[in-house]
Amino acid sequence: MKTAKQLSVFLENKPGHAYNICKTLGDAGINIFTLSLADTNQFGLLRLIVEKPEAAGEILKKAGVIVNITEVLAVKIDNRPGVLAKIYELLSASDINLEYAYAFAMRRIFLLRVSDNEKAFQILSGNGFSLLSHEELFSNENEN
Amino acid sequence: MERSALQALAQKDFMSRDELESIQLKRLKNIVSHAYKNQALFRSRMQEKGLDDTCIKELKDIQKLPFFKKVDLRDTYPFGLLCVPMENIIRLQASSGTTGSPIVIAYTKEDVACWQEATMRALMIAGIGSGDILQNAYGYGLFTGGMGLHYGAEGLGVTVLPISSGNTERQIKLMSDFGVTAISCTPSYFLHIIEKAKQLGYDFKKMKLRHGIFGAEPWTNEMRQRIEQESGIKAWDIYGLTEISGPGVAMDCPARTGLHMFEDLFYPEVIDPETGEALPDGTEGELVITTLNKFGMPMIRYRTRDISVIVKGTCECGRTIRRIKRIDHRNDDMLIIRGVNVFPSQIEAALLTIPGVQPHYHIIVRRHGDLDTLEVQVELSAELFGDTIRSIEVIQKKIGNAIKSIIGLAVTVTPVEP
């Protein structure tokens, strides 16, 4: 099974917080490839894909940020109608819950957090989808 | 009770100081002797000071006696301070304690009667009696507010509506439909009732409500004015605490220059909270109360943590029993939220029941409309939150439930960074 590593960052509900996170990473020379921000009226969650998640995680922890590394699926998708629907259909037919999803649009990669990575990986790769490891996300072969 | 008996009861507030002090001395000797014989903690503290149960010769000898504190109730939880056999106890009430375990108070039949006498006398000062309908919106149950006022009102022949707290719309409907003339609850809850009644289109001027008996939390003169202006009722301040018996330890009078303490039952002193030294009347300090007529769990020199003054001189209402200044602050970290005592240590205790949660928190008290609300900000850790909104909401809910089960109030839990 191949998965990508995501930084999951807890954001307290205060102004400038997401800025501080991005600034900390930028100052450390860490490039953010894509991100997704979820929020409630009490707090937020920032999900980030960076090239070296372990190193970035350590830097954030040292800055007092609450951060976890989460394994997510990175699915290569074609730029045509109905592709996402197909993914959802396959997952739902196998009773796999989708927690959240976002895109790495530049490279046409769809990032998925599901209830069962292993099972979802088997089903999607068995149905012609190509799933990438964290390293493959950043290799030039996947450049579009 | 016969009318003449009730009049005699009310007259106790007017007896001569000589007569009052001779009753106090007799009762003090008696209760000291009773506690000395039947309670190991009191006896050992007396012996440490080289005292025995014959040490009371005059009233001011009370100043020699050791103090009791809330921590003593907790340390001897549940029945370590009991001075009579359990079979003589007919009632247990409890209030929240400082670390999650409650404070239990046990009453004999006579103790319940003593408490009832105090609440009857308190209500009589407000002129409440037979013919009145009292909506008792204090919580019934372990909290002393509900049962305390209930017995007092019933003893006077008042029609009691034991509605307890909550369900504000029903409170207002029944108040209006039944022609309720008096209500008892916390002052902040009554302000909430006023607001709600306005929203629902009720007019207090058209209701029969005339009196409010408000207590169980510190409140200001400004709050009293607001209640009276907006509802047209008379707002009376009643003081009490579970450790001493419950509501009815002291009561407002029409002169509004302090709350009269029923000092033939509850002996007041004010001390310097630092040194423990007794202070003369007219000086501010910590209020200390001795129960003169309670035998199940007598409290001798109980430190209330409430800051007050024993008011000098006689009251223009003619009552000879002394007054204490209205309580508006305390000298510990206890919060009173909607009539419920909340200690920060209880929040801490609740947090410690959840694996992975650190007892690092902020408590924020806000007033929304007229109700106090509690927000607890809790430090989140990486292990707890995972990567989904839902995982954090689960933790919030767990923490909220743990706190609610200890303090009895719903709180807003906000996760924060360390």
Side-chain angles (χ1 to χ4, degrees):
Chain A
M1 181 183 64
K2 290 175 182 175
T3 56
K5 286 176 179 159
Q6 165 195 282
L7 292 177
S8 309
V9 178
F10 171 75
L11 290 183
E12 214 178 289
N13 197 355
K14 60 184 181 195
H17 214 60
Y19 160 75
N20 288 336
I21 308 273
C22 296
K23 172 101 170 75
T24 304
L25 292 176
D27 287 350
I30 289 165
N31 197 5
I32 299 169
F33 282 80
T34 186
L35 61 76
S36 129
L37 180 62
D39 67 308
T40 72
N41 55 13
Q42 283 183 305
F43 58 88
L45 257 175
L46 185 62
R47 298 166 185 131
L48 301 162
I49 298 291
V50 299
E51 189 163 0
K52 295 198 171 74
E54 282 85 4
E58 285 309 309
I59 288 163
L60 289 177
K61 266 182 207 164
K62 275 191 194 132
V65 173
I66 304 179
V67 57
N68 278 328
I69 291 180
T70 315
E71 298 204 4
V72 295
L73 297 178
V75 187
K76 194 107 182 73
I77 47 171
D78 295 336
N79 188 8
R80 61 178 166 81
V83 177
L84 293 187
K86 182 70 190 165
I87 293 176
Y88 288 150
E89 186 196 341
L90 288 168
L91 294 177
S92 116
S94 305
D95 268 343
I96 296 168
N97 287 325
L98 184 69
E99 304 276 0
Y100 54 84
Y102 55 108
F104 187 172
M106 206 167 62
R107 297 200 172 174
R108 289 198 200 129
I109 288 165
F110 192 48
L111 293 148
L112 288 174
R113 169 74 158 92
V114 295
S115 55
D116 186 340
N117 271 348
E118 189 79 50
K119 193 168 161 191
F121 183 86
Q122 298 303 340
I123 286 160
L124 293 175
S125 52
N127 280 277
F129 284 97
S130 155
L131 286 90
L132 308 181
S133 70
H134 196 78
E135 292 68 31
E136 286 166 346
L137 274 181
F138 299 94
S139 73
N140 288 333
E141 292 157 37
N142 289 300
E143 197 87 60
N144 286 298
Chain B
M1 211 184 263
E2 296 277 329
R3 205 182 157 79
S4 57
L6 287 177
Q7 275 168 353
L9 199 56
Q11 279 307 309
K12 286 190 180 182
D13 301 350
F14 296 88
M15 71 177 108
S16 75
R17 290 297 306 177
D18 283 349
E19 191 188 347
L20 175 61
E21 284 169 17
S22 94
I23 292 172
Q24 286 174 327
L25 180 60
K26 194 174 123 217
R27 287 182 172 170
L28 180 63
K29 284 179 179 172
N30 189 27
I31 203 75
V32 166
S33 165
H34 172 68
Y36 189 87
K37 288 194 178 88
N38 297 297
Q39 194 196 87
L41 183 66
F42 182 63
R43 188 164 54 244
S44 73
R45 284 186 180 168
M46 288 285 277
Q47 284 164 352
E48 275 167 30
K49 288 178 164 267
L51 299 170
D52 65 21
D53 61 342
T54 63
C55 71
I56 304 289
K57 305 286 186 229
E58 50 184 337
L59 266 180
K60 76 171 172 29
D61 290 334
I62 196 172
Q63 293 173 12
K64 300 177 190 165
L65 302 177
F67 292 110
F68 269 92
K69 292 181 181 175
K70 196 165 212 157
V71 65
D72 296 319
L73 284 152
R74 199 186 68 215
D75 290 348
T76 57
Y77 174 87
F79 301 132
L81 297 182
L82 213 60
C83 289
V84 300
M86 196 64 194
E87 69 208 45
N88 292 357
I89 294 299
I90 64 157
R91 177 94 66 78
L92 298 170
Q93 304 267 180
S95 101
S96 49
T98 51
T99 59
S101 74
I103 297 292
V104 183
I105 299 292
Y107 305 70
T108 64
K109 193 172 176 190
E110 294 73 22
D111 295 344
V112 170
C114 167
W115 181 18
Q116 183 182 28
E117 175 186 323
T119 46
M120 284 168 71
R121 285 164 68 179
L123 290 170
M124 278 194 287
I125 297 181
I128 293 170
S130 176
D132 276 303
I133 303 176
L134 175 78
Q135 180 160 346
N136 189 13
Y138 278 118
Y140 277 70
L142 290 177
F143 171 58
T144 51
M147 297 292 268
L149 265 295
H150 183 102
Y151 273 59
E154 217 172 65
L156 293 173
V158 170
T159 308
V160 184
L161 179 59
I163 193 163
S164 198
S165 52
N167 199 341
T168 309
E169 282 190 32
R170 190 180 60 179
Q171 299 268 3
I172 298 162
K173 178 176 165 49
L174 298 193
M175 184 188 292
S176 172
D177 293 352
F178 294 0
V180 166
T181 59
I183 184 165
S184 43
C185 59
T186 61
S188 56
Y189 186 57
F190 189 69
L191 277 172
H192 181 64
I193 289 178
I194 292 177
E195 287 306 312
K196 191 84 197 174
K198 269 190 215 159
Q199 283 170 21
L200 297 172
Y202 285 90
D203 181 1
F204 270 94
K205 309 233 159 33
K206 288 186 186 145
M207 289 203 210
K208 290 191 172 158
L209 194 69
R210 294 291 168 266
H211 298 287
I213 309 296
F214 301 126
E217 64 188 14
W219 53 305
T220 57
N221 286 326
E222 290 71 31
M223 201 156 160
R224 166 131 89 184
Q225 278 170 8
R226 219 182 113 195
I227 288 176
E228 296 192 332
Q229 275 164 11
E230 295 195 7
S231 67
I233 70 165
K234 232 173 156 47
W236 301 83
D237 190 358
I238 190 167
Y239 173 74
L241 60 169
T242 306
E243 298 89 319
I244 297 305
S245 65
V249 172
M251 175 72 181
D252 239 352
C253 78
R256 294 193 168 178
T257 50
L259 275 59
H260 289 280
M261 190 168 292
F262 301 107
E263 55 170 318
D264 49 321
L265 307 174
F266 313 110
Y267 188 82
E269 294 173 88
V270 165
I271 62 160
D272 179 329
E274 301 298 323
T275 64
E277 186 199 347
L279 299 172
D281 288 4
T283 314
E284 187 178 88
E286 181 179 340
L287 183 63
V288 169
I289 302 175
T290 298
T291 58
L292 294 176
N293 207 22
K294 246 182 87 192
F295 295 89
M297 239 186 221
M299 284 292 136
I300 292 171
R301 301 197 89 198
Y302 182 74
R303 292 184 61 158
T304 64
R305 294 287 197 160
D306 287 321
I307 299 296
S308 188
V309 177
I310 296 179
V311 181
K312 271 173 138 175
T314 46
C315 181
E316 65 184 64
C317 77
R319 285 181 182 79
T320 52
I321 51 175
R322 283 177 294 172
R323 288 157 290 163
I324 54 168
K325 193 180 130 257
R326 293 184 66 205
I327 312 285
D328 51 20
H329 65 293
R330 295 172 51 83
N331 74 343
D332 62 10
D333 59 358
M334 187 174 95
L335 304 166
I336 303 183
I337 307 295
R338 307 206 285 273
V340 177
N341 299 350
V342 176
F343 287 89
S345 53
Q346 291 177 297
I347 306 286
E348 188 170 316
L351 295 178
L352 286 168
T353 63
I354 301 161
V357 174
Q358 295 300 311
H360 302 149
Y361 57 93
H362 270 132
I363 298 174
I364 295 163
V365 183
R366 286 196 188 83
R367 180 149 284 184
H368 284 294
D370 294 307
L371 281 185
D372 291 330
T373 60
L374 269 189
E375 176 189 346
V376 180
Q377 296 186 338
V378 189
E379 272 184 24
L380 199 66
S381 63
E383 305 77 68
L384 283 173
F385 101 95
D387 64 316
T388 58
I389 298 280
R390 187 156 40 92
S391 66
I392 299 175
E393 286 173 345
V394 166
I395 283 292
Q396 280 181 298
K397 202 166 178 192
K398 260 192 200 166
I399 293 172
N401 288 342
I403 293 173
K404 192 174 181 199
S405 75
I406 288 182
I407 68 170
L409 286 176
V411 301
T412 305
V413 176
T414 308
V416 295
E417 286 178 346

